[in-house]
Amino acid sequence: METVLAFLPGRYFILCTWLVCSSHLLTTSRAEVTCASCPWPTQVNTGGVQVGQRFGPATMGKSQAGGATEFLQTTGVPGGRGYIPRDVLRLDMDVSAGVGMNSKVFDEIVPGSSLSAKIPPDRDAKSDKVASEDTTLLRSKRSEPDLTEFTREARSGDSSLGGSSDERKTHGLLLDGQKLRSEVRWNRDDGKVSRQDEPKVISTTFALAGDSAHNHAVVYWTGRNSSVILILTKLYDFHLGSVTESSLWRSRDYGTTYERLNDKVGVKTVLSYLYVCPTNKRKIMVLTDPEFESSVLISYDEGATFQKYRLGFYVLSLLFHPEKEDWILAYSHDQKLYSSFDFGRKWQLVHERVTPNRFYWCVSGLDKEADLVHIEAHTPDGHCQYMTCRAQTCSESARTFPFPGYIESNSLVVQDDYIVVQVTMAGRAAYYVSYQREPFLLIKIPKYSLPKDMHILSTDQGQVFAAVQEWNQNDTYNLYISDQRGILFTLALENVKTSRGLGGNSMIDLYEVAGIKGMLIANRKVENQVKTYITYNKGRDWRLLQAPSKDLEGNDIYCVLPFCSLHLQLQMSENPYLSGSITTKGSVPGVIVATGNIGSELSYNSVGMFVSSDAGNTWRHIFEEEHNIWFLDKGGALLAVAPPAAPVRHLWISFDEGRQWTRHSFSATPLYVDGVLVEPGSENQVLTFFGHFSDRSEWQLIKVDYKALFSKQCAEGDYQTWHLHNQGEPCVMGQKQIYMKRRPGNYCMLGRESSRILSVEPCICRAHDFECDYGFERRGSGTCLPAFWFNPATVSWSCSHGQNYLNSTGYRKVVANNCTKGVKEMYAARKQACPERPPRGLQLGTRGSKLTANLGSNVTFLVQLEEGDSLRTNIQLDFGDGTAVSYSNLSWTEDGIRHVYRSAGIFRVIALAENSLGSDSTSLYLHVTCPVEHVQLLAPFVVIKNKEVNLTAVVWPSNCRTLTYFWWLGNNTEPVITLEGSIPHVFAAEGMNTVTVQVSSASSILQDTKTIAVQEFFKSLLLSFSPNLDDANPDIPEWRQDVGGVIKKSLLQIADVPADQLLVAVFPGIPTAAELFLLPSRNQSEGRKKSVEDLEQIAEVLIIALNQNLVEFELKPGSRVIVYITQLTLAPLVDSIPRHSSSAMLMLLSVVFLGFAVFLIYKFKRKIPWINIYAEVNHEKEQEMLGTVGQSDATPKITLSEFSTPKELMEKELDGRIKRGMINPCESTREIPNCTSV
């Protein structure tokens, strides 16, 4: 059979017709989309731009593929607030030479610090401009792999290829100044697209001719009700690192036309920065580039005329006064701070060695002088101090230091009612706060948070909101919220996602929704997945976001909580002229527009745009890809523009909160959009696009007038009511709020006000209006119970007999919550009378927590009391040098007790607090002119009376050179001094004995103290724990002590044993282990045999309970720790009867052998090249260590000159040890219990 291939036109036509019809039917059919986990990846990052009146260089630059963009602080951000540390890098792009573009430059400002300030809220219309004032704009990058060819052709000026395929098919593009058509109207609800023919918007384009080579631009609108816009363009030469050309442009008609002002400022003058006074926008300041000349150009008429004044320094940043329009602070490149009180015509030096961006004007209502300045400055020796002075007279005598002592660099934050600083105490970060300029108090974060880093996010609404990175966190932070005074912090949300921004700043994934008090959105890391959560009561309760029920095509989306939800990017734009990934506006409460994805976690790919009209309760999908969104007409309309990766000539506008969108053309030629300036005036409907047609074209400024879109001015009938709620719950932050909003779809002009509160009604207080108080944690049942480390019965020392104090119930009302009655009385703190009680918890320290002092300098001792009556407690302080002081009550010691030591030495300072009910004492050892570092004392917890025990000091770092060890044993007034980190000792009396070791190395001293129980005999058990305890073990002494107390409490519930017969010691290190000591009763009248039998019975009961897993405790809500018995110690019952064993003989032989080896090394040390000993002792002065008060003249005194040199001491020690055979070459870095010394 023969096969014939033929072409049949009729059949081919029928086949094609069937395919077209089939494809049409398939595309119009409705399909259901199932999403169980459906990840739509999204980029995780938050950002923000510093809002306020501190200004630095501001620029706008052209972009290139692969480039990056970053912006300086601005005075306007759209809508809500993202959080980022105060100091922000500013950079432009370095463009590859292969593309033939001008090189761009990176300019930098000092990165942020451990303490950073908030983004102030957008409280008025000024901040509603999309970064329209005093901001920085760079041409954003537009590099997409699939657009490379298209982008190159567009840059070459071929506009025929610009835009998307549907844009190229669109007809009717008109010239500048003509009305453009509203081409497409898209209804998101029904998916219908209709074409409109009526004219809508008017567009005009102006090119900054002659500036095509300029790669920086600064755009400013001078102020409300003004039609003036200023633009400064610059050419920054990357190779030279300076500005080589500049042009200043001015528009008087909202950007329709521009005039070049180079002739007015000087043809050869090169300008670098442009500033507008925030309190009087008619005043303009322009700085020249210091490479050519250092001058300032000042205008008082919005740039119509300028006056030039010489400068004697190079300005890096400016800070305008919040009220006085002529008062300015200027920071120079050499870390000097200057002030001007005539808007920059004259300057005077305020202070030197000032930390960048750590200077603040006064806060009205709190600081008495209007010209007061808060400064973080460095001392000549490199320390950092917080100081205040008047900017006009900041002489040395006029300076004050509100915080006593030094602070960490880059830590000063002055914000609203609060001033926060950071100090380092014993190697740990500690934070202090001053509320309304009161004395500084230590910030109390839950005890074992142990913060590594802290950022102040917000201080409005009468409390501090902070992000804290704890000791066990790396890429997440915990959110804490304070009481009204900013002292007591409680946990709001754990493991909030963070990332590193430009310049190394920490970017917190947290967003505060504008217009609704207490509403926050955060990205939290849960089991290695990042999810978006929302709260309506300042972090008391959080929940996931419900995904939209329909997609763009109207198909159902099956997304079931908690397995699937909506996740949002919370990134503020680094370009202040672009909207960022999330946008809200205070004048439009409840409307949230954000980039995000639907799925099980936040992802980076396949993102879309979502909008909520009811404050996050429900969401709608509005775009398949990311767009920049702005609010128009005071929030009455939404503007959407495609991302600047490719040139565009269309914009989208919605009048019904994103349900229906209308597309308009704004440019005949596709434009690379670098930014949009929205609403430069309050009475007009104008927006301006900034960009360029290609990389070699001039800057293009396209003014768009959209007033024709409105049919009329909104009347009363054009509004409707909207009730704020949380999933149907009408009470939000303790009140019911009803707003008036424009009816969706009404094309009426709002004018000045978009939304207003119609009514506010307080709600009855319920449980969700209260959060856990400091020291309490919320358990699974929802109740707040004390944390394991917190004792709620503790009464402050400031509570004196006859006074009252507020005793916490474990709850406190959320700050700014307006609920009334209900459970308010039940949860509120109760007023109770201060009880009479003896002093407890006496603490003695020095200012700065140092144990050293320079000879002849003032030493300030700080005495603190945890419990007791401060007004009826006598305080005595013995300085240890023959002098002492006494105070009738603790209030006299609040500022510290000063003392000057006239001789060098080591002094034991003793503090005694006593009243009619009892006393408490403590001591410290002060080294004059002998500073030290850090040491850990290793000693057994229980020892046998009259039995030799070894005490060892482990020093960090371990590579220290010759060290001197001072051993304070019991109540001895003089130490035992050795050159080695171990010493044998015999305790001759039963009881509790205190051992303190101090290690001196060069000019530093460290100490550690242990309390040892001395008994004739005892029994001990080794304990281990379930693995979850290791996850919460920070391995610090305080934690071990508290956990030991919890274990002891659990054991006492099992066995009816007196508390003084049990001692639990938790060992350092991981895995966590402990030893339980059973001590004999203090009353041994029945004889030793009976006491031994009692210990055996107690041990048997505890062993049974431990083997049956009956001993457990709760470390935190939902985490219970089980205590196990590991094994009995080597000796079931340890006493002081001498014995011999084979292991002891083997140990003795080993010691003798090692001693012989050390003897050989010592004899031939000069022939061994790597062994050498160096030591230095200063013999110039013989300093005397004096005894305490009342010490008799017969008391022996030790002078430093009587000590042998370290080399002589080492040789004597070695010779003596060789003769005794006691060489101990081992060094241990972990504490091993010496519980069987037999």
Side-chain angles (χ1 to χ4, degrees):
M1 180 179 293
E2 186 175 354
T3 302
V4 179
L5 179 64
F7 177 74
L8 300 177
R11 293 184 180 180
Y12 182 78
F13 176 79
I14 294 173
L15 178 62
C16 292
T17 304
W18 179 81
L19 289 174
V20 170
C21 294
S22 299
S23 63
H24 176 72
L25 291 174
L26 289 174
T27 56
T28 57
S29 63
R30 298 175 63 87
E32 293 185 344
V33 180
T34 301
C35 179
S37 60
C38 50
W40 290 9
T42 242
Q43 181 178 2
V44 181
N45 206 356
T46 56
V49 187
Q50 173 62 33
V51 187
Q53 298 168 346
R54 186 189 306 276
F55 300 97
T59 57
M60 169 179 72
K62 301 178 183 178
S63 172
Q64 165 65 8
T69 309
E70 184 174 41
F71 300 89
L72 186 65
Q73 318 168 45
T74 69
T75 58
V77 292
R81 288 157 36 200
Y83 293 101
I84 183 176
R86 167 180 301 274
D87 306 310
V88 184
L89 279 178
R90 178 184 60 79
L91 62 89
D92 300 322
M93 291 147 290
D94 180 14
V95 180
S96 169
V99 186
M101 293 180 60
N102 295 316
S103 297
K104 310 301 187 285
V105 52
F106 296 79
D107 261 344
E108 199 171 297
I109 288 185
V110 177
S113 67
S114 58
L115 277 180
S116 60
K118 71 171 183 179
I119 307 300
D122 305 325
R123 294 190 176 93
D124 50 37
K126 292 187 297 183
S127 56
D128 292 339
K129 313 295 179 296
V130 184
S132 60
E133 309 171 48
D134 313 322
T135 52
T136 300
L137 172 63
L138 282 79
R139 296 191 176 181
S140 55
K141 67 177 183 179
R142 47 185 183 279
S143 57
E144 293 285 341
D146 55 341
L147 297 176
T148 303
E149 181 177 357
F150 160 76
T151 303
R152 289 177 179 173
E153 293 187 7
R155 289 172 183 157
S156 65
D158 185 1
S159 60
S160 64
L161 297 179
S164 59
S165 59
D166 63 313
E167 290 174 333
R168 291 194 295 270
K169 295 177 182 178
T170 303
H171 301 284
L173 296 178
L174 303 180
L175 298 177
D176 293 343
Q178 301 297 319
K179 292 185 178 180
L180 301 181
R181 302 179 61 178
S182 173
E183 297 172 349
V184 176
R185 177 170 295 170
W186 181 13
N187 192 322
R188 297 293 185 188
D189 295 332
D190 54 20
K192 296 180 181 179
V193 179
S194 60
R195 185 171 300 278
Q196 304 293 326
D197 294 328
E198 67 273 12
K200 289 298 180 181
V201 298
I202 300 176
S203 173
T204 58
T205 302
F206 188 91
L208 303 183
D211 288 354
S212 61
H214 290 189
N215 49 19
H216 287 223
V218 185
V219 184
Y220 285 89
W221 164 63
T222 58
R224 182 184 299 276
N225 298 325
S226 173
S227 60
V228 175
I229 298 177
L230 295 173
I231 299 179
L232 173 63
T233 64
K234 302 179 292 183
L235 172 60
Y236 194 102
D237 192 305
F238 177 77
H239 301 289
L240 298 178
S242 62
V243 178
T244 57
E245 296 179 14
S246 66
S247 296
L248 183 61
W249 300 82
R250 184 174 184 264
S251 172
R252 296 180 294 174
D253 49 13
Y254 293 109
T256 304
T257 59
Y258 288 84
E259 173 191 6
R260 192 170 185 174
L261 304 181
N262 283 33
D263 293 338
K264 295 184 178 180
V265 300
V267 178
K268 296 183 178 181
T269 300
V270 179
L271 306 178
S272 57
Y273 306 120
L274 173 68
Y275 304 92
V276 176
C277 176
T279 53
N280 184 354
K281 301 300 180 64
R282 295 182 58 85
K283 294 185 176 182
I284 312 297
M285 180 180 295
V286 184
L287 299 178
T288 62
D289 191 281
E291 296 291 332
F292 297 88
E293 62 173 325
S294 184
S295 301
V296 58
L297 299 171
I298 299 175
S299 173
Y300 298 96
D301 50 11
E302 298 179 295
T305 59
F306 285 91
Q307 301 175 10
K308 180 182 287 189
Y309 298 90
R310 298 286 298 178
L311 286 176
F313 58 95
Y314 173 27
V315 176
L316 284 183
S317 62
L318 297 179
L319 181 63
F320 290 89
H321 194 278
E323 297 176 355
K324 306 292 184 178
E325 61 186 53
D326 289 335
W327 294 11
I328 309 172
L329 293 177
Y331 186 75
S332 68
H333 68 289
D334 54 355
Q335 298 184 332
K336 294 181 179 179
L337 187 65
Y338 296 84
S339 63
S340 174
F341 296 89
D342 52 9
F343 200 71
R345 289 181 294 179
K346 298 179 182 178
W347 297 87
Q348 63 186 37
L349 179 65
V350 178
H351 200 273
E352 298 179 342
R353 297 183 297 274
V354 177
T355 305
N357 292 324
R358 297 296 168 178
F359 49 91
Y360 308 84
W361 278 112
C362 66
V363 177
S364 179
L366 293 175
D367 297 311
K368 296 180 180 179
E369 296 86 5
D371 63 338
L372 187 73
V373 182
H374 302 265
I375 301 173
E376 179 187 297
H378 292 262
T379 61
D381 57 358
H383 292 97
C384 219
Q385 285 183 310
Y386 162 44
M387 57 167 287
T388 61
C389 68
R390 302 187 64 175
Q392 301 186 66
T393 56
C394 192
S395 60
E396 186 172 353
S397 59
R399 299 167 189 165
T400 59
F401 299 89
F403 182 79
Y406 300 124
I407 66 174
E408 289 296 311
S409 180
N410 274 310
S411 70
L412 175 64
V413 174
V414 180
Q415 208 163 272
D416 298 326
D417 291 341
Y418 307 91
I419 302 176
V420 182
V421 297
Q422 175 188 345
V423 300
T424 299
M425 302 174 59
R428 301 180 193 171
Y431 301 89
Y432 286 81
V433 62
S434 169
Y435 174 66
Q436 293 185 346
R437 306 305 185 259
E438 294 177 356
F440 280 87
L441 296 175
L442 179 66
I443 288 178
K444 292 186 177 180
I445 303 174
K447 188 172 182 180
Y448 295 114
S449 298
L450 304 178
K452 297 189 299 185
D453 190 21
M454 179 176 178
H455 297 278
I456 303 300
L457 303 181
S458 152
T459 56
D460 55 355
Q461 300 182 6
Q463 63 184 155
V464 179
F465 203 41
V468 176
Q469 187 173 58
E470 301 186 7
W471 63 274
N472 56 353
Q473 293 179 310
N474 293 319
D475 60 346
T476 59
Y477 278 70
N478 289 349
L479 299 181
Y480 285 90
I481 197 163
S482 77
D483 59 350
Q484 184 177 6
R485 301 186 65 193
I487 299 173
L488 303 178
F489 281 76
T490 58
L491 182 65
L493 185 65
E494 290 183 299
N495 296 323
V496 177
K497 179 70 175 66
T498 62
S499 59
R500 286 293 173 184
L502 299 174
N505 296 305
S506 294
M507 315 284 281
I508 315 295
D509 273 27
L510 177 70
Y511 186 83
E512 184 173 352
V513 178
I516 300 180
K517 180 175 60 177
M519 184 175 175
L520 302 166
I521 303 176
N523 285 327
R524 181 188 180 193
K525 192 173 183 180
V526 182
E527 296 179 352
N528 294 323
Q529 288 186 327
V530 178
K531 299 175 182 289
T532 300
Y533 289 80
I534 190 170
T535 179
Y536 295 83
N537 52 8
K538 278 195 171 182
R540 197 279 191 191
D541 301 293
W542 296 84
R543 64 172 174 85
L544 295 168
L545 297 179
Q546 178 64 59
S549 59
K550 304 283 186 179
D551 63 7
L552 283 175
E553 303 299 328
N555 303 317
D556 292 334
I557 298 177
Y558 293 98
C559 185
V560 181
L561 294 173
F563 309 103
C564 173
S565 60
L566 176 64
H567 309 284
L568 305 180
Q569 296 184 25
L570 304 179
Q571 179 181 5
M572 296 296 293
S573 175
E574 295 169 349
N575 181 343
Y577 290 99
L578 299 179
S579 64
S581 60
I582 184 169
T583 303
T584 59
K585 191 177 180 66
S587 60
V588 195
V591 179
I592 308 171
V593 187
T595 304
N597 66 282
I598 300 174
S600 60
E601 64 176 324
L602 186 64
S603 186
Y604 288 92
N605 302 318
S606 302
V607 299
M609 296 298 298
F610 300 86
V611 65
S612 174
S613 300
D614 55 3
N617 287 281
T618 60
W619 295 82
R620 299 187 305 276
H621 194 186
I622 57 175
F623 287 109
E624 288 284 4
E625 61 179 7
E626 184 177 1
H627 281 65
N628 286 287
I629 305 292
W630 292 271
F631 289 95
L632 301 180
D633 187 34
K634 304 299 177 291
L638 293 175
L639 166 68
V641 178
V648 296
R649 53 188 177 90
H650 295 102
L651 56 87
W652 297 84
I653 296 180
S654 173
F655 288 88
D656 54 4
E657 298 175 347
R659 295 178 178 85
Q660 179 176 298
W661 294 83
T662 304
R663 191 178 69 176
H664 304 271
S665 295
F666 67 88
S667 175
T669 304
L671 180 76
Y672 287 99
V673 178
D674 295 318
V676 179
L677 185 65
V678 179
E679 295 187 4
S682 60
E683 302 298 333
N684 61 82
Q685 286 69 39
V686 174
L687 58 93
T688 302
F689 282 79
F690 303 94
H692 53 286
F693 297 136
S694 70
D695 289 319
R696 295 183 179 86
S697 69
E698 292 85 1
W699 293 95
Q700 305 294 326
L701 294 97
I702 301 178
K703 172 187 173 183
V704 179
D705 189 341
Y706 58 91
K707 187 174 183 179
L709 296 175
F710 303 100
S711 58
K712 62 175 182 177
Q713 191 79 21
C714 288
E716 198 67 29
D718 295 313
Y719 294 90
Q720 66 179 13
T721 60
W722 174 70
H723 297 251
L724 174 64
H725 66 94
N726 174 15
Q727 290 186 324
E729 169 57 53
C731 291
V732 176
M733 290 295 288
Q735 60 186 7
K736 298 178 181 178
Q737 303 177 55
I738 302 177
Y739 293 86
M740 291 291 294
K741 298 174 63 174
R742 188 182 64 181
R743 295 182 183 275
N746 282 5
Y747 288 81
C748 63
M749 188 184 307
L750 292 174
R752 292 181 179 273
E753 189 175 341
S754 168
S755 176
R756 64 180 184 270
I757 297 180
L758 182 63
S759 66
V760 176
E761 178 184 350
C763 297
I764 299 299
C765 289
R766 290 183 289 176
H768 63 254
D769 296 313
F770 293 81
E771 61 189 2
C772 291
D773 204 349
Y774 173 78
F776 292 81
E777 298 174 339
R778 191 172 302 279
R779 306 304 167 98
S781 61
T783 58
C784 296
L785 297 178
F788 77 95
W789 49 266
F790 182 71
N791 181 13
T794 301
V795 180
S796 173
W797 59 269
S798 60
C799 188
S800 181
H801 182 63
Q803 299 177 346
N804 296 321
Y805 76 101
L806 294 177
N807 187 17
S808 175
T809 61
Y811 300 86
R812 68 186 186 192
K813 193 169 79 167
V814 175
V815 176
N817 186 294
N818 296 322
C819 72
T820 58
K821 301 180 180 179
V823 299
K824 183 177 180 180
E825 294 299 326
M826 182 176 68
Y827 285 126
R830 294 176 173 82
K831 182 181 293 187
Q832 296 183 0
C834 295
E836 292 186 89
R837 58 204 186 282
R840 291 290 182 270
L842 183 64
Q843 299 177 8
L844 175 63
T846 60
R847 181 155 292 165
S849 301
K850 293 185 178 181
L851 297 174
T852 64
N854 295 324
L855 185 65
S857 64
N858 261 319
V859 181
T860 303
F861 294 96
L862 302 177
V863 180
Q864 296 179 349
L865 191 63
E866 292 183 359
E867 295 185 60
D869 192 337
S870 62
L871 297 181
R872 290 173 172 80
T873 300
N874 178 270
I875 300 295
Q876 299 178 23
L877 189 63
D878 184 348
F879 297 109
D881 61 350
T883 59
V885 293
S886 179
Y887 297 92
S888 60
N889 59 66
L890 194 63
S891 61
W892 294 100
T893 67
E894 290 181 355
D895 295 331
I897 304 173
R898 295 185 178 182
H899 183 68
V900 178
Y901 286 90
R902 300 301 179 185
S903 60
I906 307 171
F907 302 90
R908 184 184 185 188
V909 185
I910 302 174
L912 174 65
E914 59 181 352
N915 59 20
S916 59
L917 299 178
S919 63
D920 192 14
S921 64
T922 185
S923 63
L924 63 80
Y925 299 94
L926 182 70
H927 289 240
V928 178
T929 68
C930 298
V932 157
E933 284 188 6
H934 178 70
V935 63
Q936 181 180 1
L937 175 60
L938 304 183
F941 299 98
V942 183
V943 301
I944 300 300
K945 184 179 69 173
N946 296 323
K947 193 80 171 182
E948 185 177 275
V949 65
N950 188 53
L951 308 175
T952 303
V954 179
V955 179
W956 287 275
S958 59
N959 59 350
C960 293
R961 297 196 178 185
T962 304
L963 302 176
T964 304
Y965 297 82
F966 301 84
W967 304 89
W968 304 85
L969 306 173
N971 294 322
N972 295 343
T973 58
E974 296 180 4
V976 177
I977 303 173
T978 66
L979 295 179
E980 291 187 354
S982 63
I983 183 176
H985 184 69
V986 175
F987 293 91
E990 292 185 22
M992 304 301 292
N993 288 265
T994 300
V995 177
T996 299
V997 62
Q998 292 182 318
V999 181
S1000 175
S1001 174
S1003 59
S1004 60
I1005 293 179
L1006 296 175
Q1007 81 171 24
D1008 193 16
T1009 301
K1010 294 288 184 182
T1011 300
I1012 300 175
V1014 181
Q1015 300 290 335
E1016 285 190 355
F1017 58 93
F1018 64 92
K1019 190 175 184 64
S1020 65
L1021 305 174
L1022 292 179
L1023 305 178
S1024 59
F1025 307 90
S1026 51
N1028 58 333
L1029 183 60
D1030 294 339
D1031 299 333
N1033 185 355
D1035 199 17
I1036 60 174
E1038 295 94 328
W1039 186 88
R1040 294 193 289 270
Q1041 183 178 356
D1042 284 344
V1043 170
V1046 174
I1047 299 170
K1048 180 178 178 179
K1049 184 177 179 181
S1050 301
L1051 292 170
L1052 291 174
Q1053 295 175 356
I1054 300 297
D1056 186 13
V1057 183
D1060 58 358
Q1061 286 191 249
L1062 293 185
L1063 176 63
V1064 179
V1066 181
F1067 302 143
I1070 294 177
T1072 309
E1075 186 167 7
L1076 170 62
F1077 295 94
L1078 306 178
L1079 307 181
S1081 175
R1082 293 182 180 179
N1083 183 13
Q1084 300 184 21
S1085 58
E1086 298 178 359
R1088 169 170 175 156
K1089 182 177 180 180
K1090 177 61 176 176
S1091 298
V1092 171
E1093 293 176 355
D1094 292 340
L1095 291 186
E1096 293 289 351
Q1097 293 177 359
I1098 296 173
E1100 183 177 358
V1101 172
L1102 294 177
I1103 290 172
I1104 294 174
L1106 291 169
N1107 287 332
Q1108 295 180 358
N1109 297 338
L1110 298 180
V1111 182
E1112 61 179 7
F1113 61 92
E1114 188 176 38
L1115 186 64
K1116 60 181 180 180
S1119 177
R1120 300 197 67 82
V1121 179
I1122 302 175
V1123 185
Y1124 307 99
I1125 182 171
T1126 303
Q1127 64 179 30
L1128 291 176
T1129 54
L1130 297 179
L1133 189 65
V1134 183
D1135 55 27
S1136 56
I1137 300 176
R1139 302 171 185 169
H1140 301 282
S1141 65
S1142 58
S1143 60
M1145 295 300 296
L1146 181 60
M1147 177 68 72
L1148 180 60
L1149 292 175
S1150 300
V1151 169
V1152 172
F1153 174 79
L1154 292 175
F1156 180 72
V1158 172
F1159 173 76
L1160 293 178
I1161 293 174
Y1162 170 73
K1163 285 297 184 180
F1164 300 96
K1165 63 182 179 181
R1166 304 184 188 279
K1167 299 182 181 181
I1168 302 177
W1170 48 271
I1171 294 184
N1172 205 346
I1173 300 175
Y1174 295 93
E1176 293 182 1
V1177 174
N1178 187 355
H1179 298 278
E1180 294 179 1
K1181 296 183 179 180
E1182 293 186 0
Q1183 304 295 350
E1184 187 173 53
M1185 182 179 69
L1186 302 178
T1188 59
V1189 176
Q1191 189 176 28
S1192 65
D1193 295 336
T1195 302
K1197 300 180 180 178
I1198 302 176
T1199 60
L1200 294 178
S1201 61
E1202 295 175 2
F1203 295 156
S1204 301
T1205 64
K1207 185 173 181 180
E1208 294 172 350
L1209 287 174
M1210 184 170 291
E1211 291 177 352
K1212 292 178 180 179
E1213 289 278 338
L1214 288 172
D1215 289 338
R1217 289 188 172 213
I1218 291 169
K1219 295 176 181 179
R1220 298 192 305 268
M1222 296 176 57
I1223 296 297
N1224 180 18
C1226 301
E1227 293 184 2
S1228 174
T1229 59
R1230 172 165 177 157
E1231 183 175 3
I1232 305 299
N1234 187 2
C1235 57
T1236 61
S1237 302
V1238 295

